[in-house]
Amino acid sequence: MSLSSPAVKRRVDRLRATGVITGFTAIVDPAALGQQTEAFVEIHCVANMSPSALRETLAAEPQIVAAYTVTGEADALAQVQATDVAHLEAALERIRTNPGIARTKTIIVLSRLIARGES
């Protein structure tokens, strides 16, 4: 079935208006930006740190590309992109300066096996 451009636009506009489509995404290759090092960081907080305070702390670090509250021993898990290990270490040091962060545990990615949604 072939649709005209205006018909496609109307359908997309309708899907956006009803909340079916919530946004559009550009997929960026971190390596193209010089970010060769990826890591996942378990974040352990002090007892009185709220999720909103943790979000505010993590949002201030530009190397964090995603962060989640999780079950298990850690309170949160952050995905970090850095140019190299020294850059990653500097980001970790900045994260650890927050008095609400008790400790971190870092796992450096060696290779990405599956990345769904990326072309």
Side-chain angles (χ1 to χ4, degrees):
M1 169 157 84
S2 180
L3 295 175
S4 67
S5 293
V8 170
K9 182 180 180 330
R10 281 193 302 273
R11 284 188 181 191
V12 170
D13 288 347
R14 189 169 47 247
L15 290 169
R16 289 181 71 198
T18 60
V20 174
I21 295 176
T22 59
F24 301 92
T25 302
I27 299 171
V28 177
D29 179 7
L33 298 174
Q35 297 179 331
Q36 303 292 332
T37 303
E38 181 175 23
F40 289 90
V41 180
E42 291 182 2
I43 299 170
H44 300 261
C45 301
V46 297
N48 62 348
M49 186 170 209
S50 70
S52 60
L54 178 58
R55 181 188 187 289
E56 194 173 307
T57 295
L58 299 179
E61 177 51 52
Q63 301 321 122
I64 294 177
V65 296
Y68 313 89
T69 55
V70 295
T71 62
E73 289 185 35
D75 295 297
L77 183 67
Q79 181 181 3
V80 181
Q81 293 282 351
T83 56
D84 54 29
V85 174
H87 190 216
L88 171 62
E89 184 177 27
L92 293 171
E93 288 175 8
R94 288 190 299 271
I95 292 166
R96 291 182 192 129
T97 61
N98 185 291
I101 305 294
R103 65 185 175 90
T104 62
K105 178 181 175 185
T106 304
I107 303 161
I108 295 177
V109 174
L110 298 177
S111 64
R112 188 178 285 204
L113 301 175
I114 298 172
R116 301 196 197 283
E118 295 182 12
S119 52

